[in-house]
């Protein structure tokens, strides 16, 4: 699918050789992502940034380039291999890390990490344990990153009360004329209004610390080595911003401990898989138990529920708005995703005690 648009964007990065093939990756719901192979056998990821979502590509790339350089130095010092353990972005010939095409589209490019794969759905608790370690280590490596130099790439990204207001506005406006069809789902959300501000209240009271977090820790945002099947590299760095550890932990559970895919339609197949939950929690706390405070530990399981709630509410909001934000493959896709997340929440509510007990066991295992 080599288009003129792709050829033109690729050439802005001044790499040698001609494009020999292009493959589109469609697992991400926001940007347009292509694997580009050259006749010299080099492989890159070329991405068209979704500027409806990311309005300031300069700020976005400033964050990503700064963070990946920092990670790269730390990985090198620790005796690791930065070429496989973090992303390497390529500047354009003018030194900038993104290219504006003739239509105003924004493109960036990085080196493709070879011999690696992702999971859209976890196969075992080991997969999640490994992902948990990577995301835990990621937060640790960024603990000394100057948070005040980071742009807020999406304002109020995980501010759940603000997401809730956006949801109410979408219900009120009913732009796509779909409200009548989703009264049940709307009631599911409004019944849980009190949850929306629990973490932001603790943050305001100073009981939860702001950290440099990833904020989009979906299972398919970590690469696994083909040979070892171990997670090696955290990707999709667009939302690195100051945030709560609970957002990162929570979103990983939302996506990784779901017994089914995010858009499974058969609600009976959807539940929080406690083995997968335990695997992730074990991996994550093996890296972070010493640095998280008691309030964070206490709220990990709730964070999983809250991130599932927020995401489900965002899918429903987008459905009400006429599918303007998330990439959809068919009419009603966002509603399917919302119902899926709401079913997952019900099973988390039923299992909250068990999830909390697993967290405490893992904490005991990794603290003296
Ligand atoms: C988006 O870009 P991707 O597909 O990794 C979204 C996340 C959602 C997720 C749901 C910037 O992540 O917040 O949790 O879809 N990213 C953005 O699958 O909105
Ligand atoms: Mg992604």
């Amino acid at each position: 699918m080599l288009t003129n648009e792709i050829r033109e964007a690729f050439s802005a990065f001044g790499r040698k050789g001609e494009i020999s093939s292009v493959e589109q990756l469609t697992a991400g719901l926001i940007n347009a992502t292509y694997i580009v192979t050259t006749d010299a056998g080099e492989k890159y990821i070329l991405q068209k940034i979704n500027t409806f979502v990311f309005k300031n590509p300069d700020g976005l790339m400033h964050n990503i380039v700064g963070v990946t350089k920092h990670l790269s130095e730390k990985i090198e010092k620790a005796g690791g291999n930065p070429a496989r353990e973090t992303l390497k972005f390529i500047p354009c010939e003018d030194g900038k890390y993104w290219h504006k095409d003739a239509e105003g589209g924004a493109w960036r490019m990085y080196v493709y990490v070879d011999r690696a794969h992702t999971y859209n759905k976890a196969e075992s608790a080991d997969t999640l344990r490994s992902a948990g370690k990577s995301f835990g280590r990621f937060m640790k490596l960024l603990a000394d990153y100057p948070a005040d130099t980071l742009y807020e790439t999406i304002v109020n990204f995980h501010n759940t009360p603000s997401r809730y207001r956006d949801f109410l506005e979408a219900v009120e406006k009913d732009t796509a004329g779909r409200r009548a069809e989703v009264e049940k789902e709307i009631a599911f959300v409004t019944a849980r209004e009190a949850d929306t501000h629990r973490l932001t209240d603790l943050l305001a009271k100073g009981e939860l610390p702001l950290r440099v977090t990833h904020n989009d820790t979906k299972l398919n945002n970590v690469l696994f080595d083909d040979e070892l099947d171990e997670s090696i590299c955290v990707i999709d760095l667009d939302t690195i911003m100051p945030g709560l550890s609970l957002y990162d932990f929570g979103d990983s559970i939302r996506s990784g401990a779901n017994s089914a895919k995010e858009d499974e339609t058969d609600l009976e197949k959807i539940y929080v898989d406690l083995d997968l939950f335990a695997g992730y929690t074990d991996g994550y706390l093996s890296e972070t138990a010493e640095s998280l405070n008691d309030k964070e530990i206490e709220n990990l399981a709730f964070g999983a529920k809250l991130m599932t709630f927020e995401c489900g509410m965002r899918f429903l909001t987008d459905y009400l708005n006429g599918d303007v934000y998330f990439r959809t493959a068919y009419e009603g896709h966002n509603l399917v995703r919302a119902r899926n997340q709401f079913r997952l929440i019900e099973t988390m509510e039923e299992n909250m005690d068990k999830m909390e007990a697993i967290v405490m066991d893992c904490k005991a295992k990794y603290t003296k």
Side-chain angles (χ1 to χ4, degrees):
M1 58 159 319
L2 177 53
T3 59
N4 282 338
E5 185 186 58
I6 290 174
R7 200 192 315 268
E8 195 258 331
F10 177 78
S11 71
F13 294 90
R15 291 281 129 163
K16 288 187 298 279
E18 293 294 315
I19 297 179
S20 60
S21 69
V22 175
E23 185 194 332
Q24 184 167 15
L25 298 178
T26 54
L29 304 190
I30 307 294
N31 300 311
T33 305
Y34 306 93
I35 305 178
V36 172
T37 308
T38 70
D39 54 9
E42 283 170 351
K43 274 184 161 184
Y44 301 95
I45 292 284
L46 181 66
Q47 256 181 337
K48 188 173 191 185
I49 300 168
N50 180 333
T51 48
F52 173 73
V53 171
F54 299 107
K55 307 208 184 297
N56 174 359
D58 275 324
L60 179 79
M61 292 315 292
H62 165 87
N63 286 1
I64 293 183
V65 170
V67 163
T68 49
K69 283 188 178 158
H70 179 94
L71 290 173
S72 179
E73 283 164 21
K74 290 220 154 171
I75 291 164
E76 178 116 50
K77 268 196 205 135
N81 177 1
R84 288 188 74 64
E85 293 169 41
T86 189
L87 299 178
K88 187 174 166 51
F89 284 80
I90 295 166
C92 298
E93 289 183 316
D94 64 4
K96 273 177 66 161
Y97 279 86
W98 67 281
H99 163 69
K100 190 176 192 166
D101 70 19
E103 276 79 51
W107 297 79
R108 66 172 167 220
M109 196 161 84
Y110 53 96
V111 178
Y112 180 80
V113 179
D114 226 341
R115 293 172 287 114
H117 56 278
T118 55
Y119 288 100
N120 288 319
K121 158 90 201 69
E123 286 175 6
S124 73
D126 284 341
T127 307
L128 277 231
R129 182 173 293 105
S130 189
K133 272 193 190 163
S134 276
F135 281 119
R137 198 176 310 130
F138 184 83
M139 192 179 81
K140 264 190 0 198
L141 292 176
L142 291 176
D144 60 347
Y145 194 80
D148 55 354
T149 64
L150 289 169
Y151 283 88
E152 201 174 357
T153 57
I154 299 178
V155 176
N156 288 328
F157 189 59
H158 281 311
N159 183 331
T160 319
S162 153
R163 294 285 186 185
Y164 186 70
R165 288 192 291 276
D166 294 347
F167 160 76
L168 292 180
E169 193 184 318
V171 172
E172 181 64 32
K173 286 195 179 147
D174 193 20
T175 311
R178 290 167 164 175
R179 179 167 70 196
E181 184 197 345
V182 295
E183 290 299 349
K184 225 177 85 191
E185 287 73 18
I186 292 171
F188 183 95
V189 173
T190 52
R192 288 163 180 77
E193 188 276 331
D195 284 343
T196 61
H197 48 82
R198 176 158 149 187
L199 297 186
T200 44
D201 288 351
L202 289 170
L203 174 65
K205 282 196 274 175
E207 295 186 32
L208 292 173
L210 266 188
R211 302 176 181 276
V212 173
T213 48
H214 181 282
N215 296 305
D216 188 5
T217 53
K218 200 159 137 169
L219 180 60
N220 67 15
N221 284 336
V222 57
L223 300 179
F224 286 76
D225 182 89
D226 280 351
E227 235 170 274
L228 304 171
D229 202 22
E230 271 169 15
S231 69
I232 46 169
C233 179
V234 168
I235 61 170
D236 207 341
L237 308 174
D238 295 323
T239 51
I240 293 173
M241 286 178 277
L244 299 181
S245 58
L246 305 171
Y247 299 153
D248 279 4
F249 178 84
D251 199 61
S252 284
I253 299 303
R254 174 193 77 74
S255 68
N258 188 340
S259 60
K261 286 187 307 188
E262 187 176 80
D263 57 0
E264 171 61 54
T265 53
D266 181 351
L267 296 185
E268 288 189 7
K269 289 193 183 146
I270 300 163
Y271 57 92
V272 59
D273 182 319
L274 293 178
D275 285 337
L276 297 178
F277 178 83
Y280 191 90
T281 307
D282 186 80
Y284 186 75
L285 287 183
S286 72
E287 293 286 336
T288 60
E290 300 279 4
S291 48
L292 298 179
N293 75 19
D294 288 348
K295 268 285 173 250
E296 289 176 294
I297 299 275
E298 228 175 81
N299 280 287
L300 284 172
F302 174 76
K305 179 185 154 188
L306 186 68
M307 285 299 98
T308 310
F309 175 80
E310 186 187 272
C311 194
M313 176 169 70
R314 289 173 63 201
F315 287 141
L316 185 58
T317 303
D318 199 30
Y319 185 67
L320 287 161
N321 287 340
D323 309 317
V324 291
Y325 186 93
F326 295 107
R327 189 199 327 279
T328 52
Y330 54 86
E331 166 100 21
H333 203 168
N334 273 318
L335 180 57
V336 162
R337 291 170 177 148
R339 287 182 172 146
N340 176 307
Q341 301 294 290
F342 295 162
R343 177 65 199 136
L344 184 60
I345 290 170
E346 286 171 344
T347 70
M348 286 180 176
E349 288 172 345
E350 287 157 17
N351 286 284
M352 199 40 76
D353 291 353
K354 290 183 188 145
M355 288 162 65
E356 280 167 354
I358 291 169
V359 168
M360 292 328 274
D361 283 352
C362 292
K363 162 156 166 111
K365 181 171 165 192
Y366 294 112
T367 44
K368 280 158 248 143

